[in-house]
Amino acid sequence: MTTPKKSPLNNLFERQQPKVNAKPDMGKLLTCLAEEDHKRIAQLIQKWLNESEANQTGKPRK
């Protein structure tokens, strides 16, 4: 069984946890959030593209 590839942000959070004395539960939360970051970033970019196109054409993009 292969493990999923971790994002660079996830790796950063894992490295920084000992330096900030993060509790195990907080560390798990931070790494979980880091794994989902690429989805939120893609959604934000899509929103910006839709808004930009709506401003140029007067119609929202779907």
Side-chain angles (χ1 to χ4, degrees):
M1 185 167 142
T2 61
T3 58
K5 184 178 178 188
K6 294 181 180 180
S7 71
L9 186 56
N10 187 325
N11 293 334
L12 176 66
F13 278 138
E14 286 181 353
R15 282 195 318 267
Q16 297 303 318
Q17 285 176 26
K19 294 177 184 176
V20 295
N21 296 322
K23 294 180 182 174
D25 288 340
M26 181 57 71
K28 287 179 186 176
L29 174 64
L30 290 174
T31 55
C32 179
L33 292 174
E35 289 173 357
E36 298 296 320
D37 256 6
H38 68 281
K39 293 177 185 175
R40 287 191 296 273
I41 291 169
Q43 289 174 341
L44 179 60
I45 291 171
Q46 185 63 52
K47 179 182 175 188
W48 289 341
L49 290 172
N50 290 343
E51 289 174 356
S52 175
E53 187 171 297
N55 289 338
Q56 291 176 359
T57 63
K59 294 181 190 178
R61 182 175 147 184
K62 293 190 179 197

